[in-house]
Amino acid sequence: MRALTSFRLWGLAPAWVLMGLTLIVPVAIVAGVSLADRGPYGGFDWALNFGSYREILFTLGWTDELEFAPKYLVIIARTLGYGLVTTAICMALALPVAYVIANARAGWKPFLVYLVTLPFWVSMIVRVYAWLIILGNEGLAEKAWKFLGGGDVDTFLFTNGAMLTGMVYSYIPLMVLPVYAAIEKLDPALLEASHDLYGNRWVTLRRVILPLTWPGLSAGAILVFVPAIGTVLEPMLLGGGRQMMMGTLIQTQFGGGRNWPFGAAIAMVLMAMVVVVLLLNARRAAAATEART
Amino acid sequence: MARGKAVEVYNVSKSFGTYQALDQVSFTIQENEFFTLLGPSGCGKTTLLRMIAGFESPSEGAILLDGQQIETLPPHRRRVNTVFQSYALFPHMTLAQNIAFGLENLGWDRRRRRDRVAEMLELVHMTPFAGRRPAQLSGGQRQRIALARALAPEPQVLLLDEPLSALDLKLRQAMRDELKSLQKKTGITFIFVTHDQEEALDMSDRICVLGQGRIQQIGTPSEIYEDPENRFVADFIGETNFLEAEVLELAGGMARIRTPFGLEITAPQKGLAGPGPATLSLRPEKIGMESQAEGHLLQGTVTGRNYMGGFTHYTVDVAGQSLRVSRRNALSHAEGHAPGQPVSLGFRADSVRVLAQ
Amino acid sequence: MSRRDHDIRRYPGARLLTAVFFLWLYLPIAVVIGFSFNQNRLVSVWTGFSTEWYAAALANKALMDALEVSLTIAVIATIGATTIALMAAMVLSRAPAKGIYRLSEAVVNLPLMLPEIVVAVAVLILFSQLGIADGMVKLALAHTAFCTPFAFLPIRARLQGMSRDFEEAAQDLYAPPLTAFRRVTLPLIAPGVFAGAMLAFVMSMDDFITSNMLNSGGSTTLPVYIFSLIKRGTTPELNAISTLMILASLVIATAALVLAARAMRREA
């Protein structure tokens, strides 16, 4: 028995070493760096300085007085907004699609699931690039728009629509799969019972299907929202860098802008947002489990 | 003929956290014996089997296999094999490979292995299926292969964990006979775990009834059924009527008691210390009715009837006591006794067992 | 007169929406593949069929270098991540879900819980502090870390779904622990291990954010190189490269699916 326990701990050791070295210690360092002084040529000098966090909200005026400056707050709000809208669109799309797949003939189901996952195996950068071609100057989107009698457009690129299209396209399989799993588990007799008790399709959708697939939808929402608010590629390529998001803001602080402590501070804020979402989800899941038992 | 001891269990206890699964269990199993551990679910019988196999270790006590203490040995060093409830046939191996698996680990050479596998397939009538995989078999066939695989290494003891529970009724009956004959043929000690009393009574040389983590009784099937040690055994094995009675006098294995019907009888007793209240157990089939009524006679009224095909079970009210009476339906379409009808009942004093409360 | 069942499962419009969804899902892929055969230098003006851009892509030294870096890193990360994930999954599927074990499960899945850009920044700062300059070492370590949960999840699911009886049966039939693992457990969880390794490989090949952050001379991965090409403007050569990558993903995904289906059929 004792030998078994020690084997157990040894088996976990490599995972702890790897994650400790590459994640736990580094994130602690990032937290430290966010409090450091900015180095003259990038990099940083250790210190205890909340300046980087202050910089998110305020700028220093000529006479060292703090002036409220919302430019970074706008970026944070935009990031949250894109994350939420992307998640909402994914939910609205995934529910009917997953429902149709789950109710398809048995022979078709695996194939349709395969079709949903296939684009996800294609490199992210290739997928975003594909939308760049479609939405770009004289691209397919523009031709279709003119064919349908639409007026002159400057470009579809670098718009909210382009960003959202790219983000939804990138993350939608992460929503369809858990929702599909939830609908697949749904006992058809429950739908029949609802109709039997005088519920029409919409009543059944609202009062039976939606509540019972909610675990799948919320799992999908986490899977979409977390990478969506950390996204880098879509804003850089489809947003043209004009619409800065937190991911790109962090990236520039470690590249061209070179303010490591400020970049680290933004990274901590982003991480805090994700942690809050995960904690809320964990609480919801625990409450749901409790309600079931 | 004096037989050796195959398995000895001494004062074995097992607790999971605060839950006491087994409490001071001791027994000895003889060589070539068909020994059954019988009890309701959660009584600790599977835990006991798993401790003999080596998948769990006793919190206290010792287990001896052929005179050797084994409770610290890992499962792969114990010359016992298990037929799992789920059969646990390796899905990625053919039937022949499944049967050869244990032999390979024991270091048998190729030729000996091949011969033994052929012999075992023959024994369970599965020779034509050697190259198939478990997924292609029916439940009964899987059961046979699981047996062949466990018997192939010639274990000192074969452990069977509810092996018939996954089969349907007809097949289960056939497999009982097959298991018994296999045991006789191979001469290997079988330890059989079940919650099905019929299986236990049918197949075993001896039965160990377990309840609430303790041994309630060990004995032959007829001892267990006819002479239950206590109320638990009488209740768990078969059906019975429990009645309150008062012990007037004890004399060795006999007790003079007053029944609730006012009769005074002398009947065999178990576990009584002296005069006072006791429980009387009287099996439904040992009560005669109308023309078959003999011994002590009672008058009652039928209150319920359950027609079971071969038998009819009656509930009869006798002086405010409800008695279950079972009657064989010997004649086709014989008229039974309708509820409300008065009937006379009779029982012999030596059919009654007096037990502690 | 024909009679039809009142099918309560059908929702009007859902099928149409699903059909449109699938078209939308595959439109970008079709466009990239289609234009990769375009003769014209301008991506969006079709002038004729040509395979010259494939020749150009295959002759592109920088592209081949990036591919080599990506493949090397992906192979190292896949082996490392799958091994670590397998060890952890073996322990965690047997241990009670409490205390240190519960915490360990969270630690293994940590990369999934943090935004990747945060992870990228974290490792960048760490390596700068440790003074590790070798780009390949940095990439290999970082990729192994974020690939581990992708390898872990399918293996864990497979072990979870596997009855412990098989392992016990192996031990009962005199197999010492290592033999039981090699001959029974490993073959039975092989589909999960394979799926995990596949996922890890694809995730490593696909990664942009971390690789871009750690990018230094000689360690430019394929996605990072493609990004630099995109920044310079869309070209048919880029389409040809993308098409080749799409085909590679298709082959890997199909192989994974076929193997999973075969494993499922064997157990049915």
Side-chain angles (χ1 to χ4, degrees), chain C residues 99-120:
Chain C
I100 180 88
Y101 299 113
R102 195 174 190 152
L103 188 65
S104 300
E105 183 120 31
V107 163
V108 173
N109 286 318
L110 204 54
L112 292 183
M113 292 186 249
L114 297 173
E116 202 196 333
I117 184 77
V118 175
V119 176

Side-chain angles (χ1 to χ4, degrees), chain B residues 13-315:
Chain B
S13 297
K14 176 76 179 175
S15 45
F16 299 102
T18 56
Y19 172 67
Q20 186 86 16
L22 283 172
D23 187 15
Q24 300 279 326
V25 169
S26 299
F27 57 81
T28 302
I29 302 172
Q30 310 296 327
E31 272 174 21
N32 302 353
E33 197 173 14
F34 197 122
F35 188 85
T36 297
L37 296 169
L38 174 67
S41 60
C43 70
K45 56 190 191 297
T46 296
T47 305
L48 196 49
L49 195 77
R50 288 171 63 79
M51 288 197 294
I52 299 171
F55 301 125
E56 266 157 55
S57 41
S59 312
E60 278 170 57
I63 299 173
L64 278 70
L65 182 69
D66 199 25
Q68 305 286 317
Q69 225 170 313
I70 57 162
E71 72 271 1
T72 54
L73 287 182
H76 67 274
R77 299 251 179 78
R78 302 186 185 197
R79 289 303 307 261
V80 296
N81 289 132
T82 308
V83 176
F84 289 80
Q85 186 169 8
S86 64
Y87 309 143
L89 297 177
F90 304 129
H92 58 299
M93 298 183 193
T94 64
L95 304 189
Q97 286 168 338
N98 261 286
I99 298 173
F101 186 82
L103 310 177
E104 283 168 45
N105 291 318
L106 287 176
W108 288 30
D109 65 52
R110 186 181 294 272
R111 250 191 76 181
R112 223 175 128 213
R113 266 189 342 236
R114 206 188 51 208
D115 293 348
R116 183 69 177 162
V117 169
E119 189 187 335
M120 294 319 293
L121 283 167
E122 184 70 42
L123 183 72
V124 295
H125 317 297
M126 291 288 289
T127 306
F129 299 90
R132 297 225 188 151
R133 285 182 195 273
Q136 298 163 293
L137 302 185
S138 70
Q141 291 170 326
R142 282 180 209 195
Q143 159 84 77
R144 292 212 185 101
I145 295 301
L147 266 167
R149 183 177 75 173
L151 285 170
E154 292 174 322
Q156 288 163 338
V157 176
L158 186 75
L159 309 175
L160 302 105
D161 185 8
E162 309 224 13
L164 305 181
S165 61
L167 304 178
D168 60 48
L169 197 68
K170 274 257 153 58
L171 200 54
R172 216 181 299 170
Q173 188 62 51
M175 282 311 293
R176 276 192 209 167
D177 295 337
E178 214 168 311
L179 268 179
K180 263 199 293 190
S181 80
L182 261 178
Q183 199 256 336
K184 293 286 167 284
K185 229 186 281 181
T186 55
I188 290 174
T189 309
F190 277 30
I191 304 181
F192 185 86
V193 160
T194 186
H195 65 271
D196 183 331
Q197 41 169 306
E198 220 180 277
E199 265 172 35
L201 294 172
D202 177 11
M203 296 195 281
S204 324
D205 292 324
R206 279 196 305 152
I207 298 172
C208 169
V209 182
L210 284 166
Q212 290 141 6
R214 290 197 192 87
I215 293 180
Q216 303 289 340
Q217 185 171 4
I218 298 181
T220 64
S222 73
E223 281 168 0
I224 298 276
Y225 185 78
E226 300 294 350
D227 299 310
E229 199 72 41
N230 53 36
R231 211 184 146 129
F232 180 91
V233 177
D235 192 24
F236 183 67
I237 313 283
E239 249 196 284
T240 193
N241 292 293
F242 285 123
L243 298 166
E244 303 302 309
E246 202 194 337
V247 176
L248 303 172
E249 195 186 330
L250 280 183
M254 304 299 274
R256 200 158 63 80
I257 56 167
R258 183 181 299 123
T259 69
F261 319 116
L263 294 167
E264 272 185 28
I265 59 170
T266 303
Q269 66 91 4
K270 282 278 175 71
L272 288 181
T279 298
L280 176 160
S281 164
L282 180 57
R283 302 246 183 228
E285 77 279 6
K286 296 197 160 59
I287 303 176
M289 205 168 192
E290 297 292 356
S291 60
Q292 277 131 29
E294 52 168 335
H296 301 283
L297 293 180
L298 302 165
Q299 296 303 319
T301 310
V302 174
T303 56
R305 178 168 67 168
N306 303 92
Y307 177 73
M308 313 295 288
F311 293 84
T312 302
H313 295 306
Y314 293 97
T315 314

